[in-house]
Amino acid sequence: MKIATWNVNSLTARWPRVDEWLETESPDILLIQETKQTDAKFPFDGFSSLGYESAHYGQGQWNGVAIVSRHGIDDVVRGFGDDDPEARIISATCGDIRFYSCYIPNGRALEDPHYAYKLRWLSSLERLLAARPLSQRTIVGGDFNVAPNDFDVYDPSKFRGATHVSEPERAALRQIEATGLVDITRKLNPLEPCYSWWDYRNGSFHRGWGLRIDLLLLDATLAERAKNSYVDRGARKGEKPSDHAPVVVEIGD
DNA sequence: ATGTCACAGTCCCTGTGA
């Protein structure tokens, strides 16, 4: 089983790259964030042509999350079931695994109301995941907009006082992991940074100025079966790339 | 370098978000 998560930064703008990537890499499941389109615009037929079923929680101009699967999609749930107006989480069962595709709020700045929203949102995610059945095989993937540790940041000195690295959001992420989930890319690559996002500005990608903020969290059973995990940096190159690269995990039977 | 990309509306530029 090959599973990937990818913030595509507009599926409308990125469809040629997503189409090409699915043809080349042929993952079993792709978790998508920032589709930035309504359900009416979502390319269900395009995914179908590639052999995938898909489910989308779209909003329009901003946000939007999806699950694309070669193994069926059942029991789709959009949002937390609270009053959150933004389309940032969709979950579904594909085969015998429950998948969650998440786009955590950016936060903007520590003093911005959006940062408080980010912390509330992470708390909602923790509650949701803490309530899952112990027997449920689970994969949570997405753009967390949190770099778990300083090793996940190309130059921590440039991020003092910024979002993505603050202790409250890192603590919130640890609480999520404490429900029984493993950050599989870091577990399997303790010595490689594995950055997944590079700012479009400043030539950041070519300078290696990245952050690891896109994560795949696996329950302990799946984590034991995981063989390798990597960032597909090639997808960040070339014509009209997203500012994020796909993060992949391969799981044995 | 405050250096780019994508979106919608004010609609071929500007403001917002990332």
Side-chain angles (χ1 to χ4, degrees):
Chain A
M1 281 269 282
K2 182 172 176 178
I3 315 291
T5 184
W6 192 7
N7 180 326
V8 298
N9 183 19
S10 171
L11 189 54
T12 310
R14 214 65 59 214
W15 174 252
R17 298 298 302 260
V18 174
D19 184 9
E20 174 195 36
W21 194 79
L22 286 174
E23 279 209 54
T24 308
E25 298 302 320
S26 199
D28 293 279
I29 310 286
L30 175 62
L31 308 174
I32 301 177
Q33 300 84 39
E34 280 207 271
T35 62
K36 293 186 176 179
Q37 60 191 182
T38 58
D39 291 342
K41 292 276 176 80
F42 187 81
F44 291 101
D45 292 342
F47 287 120
S48 184
S49 300
L50 293 163
Y52 292 91
E53 291 179 72
S54 50
H56 184 225
Y57 180 25
Q59 182 179 328
Q61 183 178 4
W62 308 117
N63 311 311
V65 283
I67 299 175
V68 175
S69 168
R70 282 195 190 282
H71 303 288
I73 298 194
D74 296 308
D75 302 320
V76 175
V77 175
R78 294 169 176 81
F80 288 126
D82 62 7
D83 58 356
D84 184 1
E86 304 197 348
R88 293 182 176 277
I89 179 168
I90 186 171
S91 59
T93 300
C94 307
D96 61 349
I97 302 176
R98 188 77 186 163
F99 288 90
Y100 302 78
S101 179
C102 307
Y103 177 44
I104 281 71
N106 176 286
R108 297 177 189 162
L110 299 187
E111 63 279 10
D112 193 297
H114 204 255
Y115 177 74
Y117 171 55
K118 181 181 197 174
L119 294 180
R120 286 198 305 277
W121 205 96
L122 285 164
S123 176
S124 294
L125 180 59
E126 183 208 332
R127 276 197 301 279
L128 175 73
L129 294 171
R132 75 189 189 273
L134 279 173
S135 60
Q136 180 184 283
R137 297 282 69 79
T138 301
I139 296 182
V140 183
D143 175 2
F144 279 74
N145 273 314
V146 178
N149 294 287
D150 279 356
F151 187 55
D152 304 304
V153 180
Y154 71 94
D155 184 352
S157 73
K158 293 190 178 175
F159 284 82
R160 294 216 181 96
T163 60
H164 295 60
V165 304
S166 75
E167 185 49 33
E169 47 196 308
R170 284 176 166 172
L173 177 57
R174 287 195 296 272
Q175 290 281 93
I176 287 166
E177 293 177 19
T179 70
L181 297 167
V182 177
D183 175 355
I184 199 65
T185 311
R186 178 53 73 231
K187 183 194 177 194
L188 298 180
N189 304 276
L191 304 177
E192 295 294 323
C194 297
Y195 301 143
S196 63
W197 172 85
W198 300 260
D199 200 311
Y200 282 124
R201 296 168 289 189
N202 312 327
S204 293
F205 180 69
H206 294 288
R207 289 165 134 153
W209 292 356
L211 301 180
R212 191 176 73 92
I213 55 177
D214 299 273
L215 309 178
L216 285 166
L217 308 181
L218 276 54
D219 72 73
T221 300
L222 289 175
E224 283 302 311
R225 282 164 41 191
K227 293 184 291 191
N228 66 311
S229 178
Y230 59 90
V231 177
D232 185 357
R233 296 176 81 261
R236 181 62 177 77
K237 303 174 182 173
E239 284 277 302
K240 277 176 75 88
S242 171
D243 46 353
H244 297 253
V247 179
V248 183
V249 63
E250 292 178 331
I251 301 171
D253 297 322

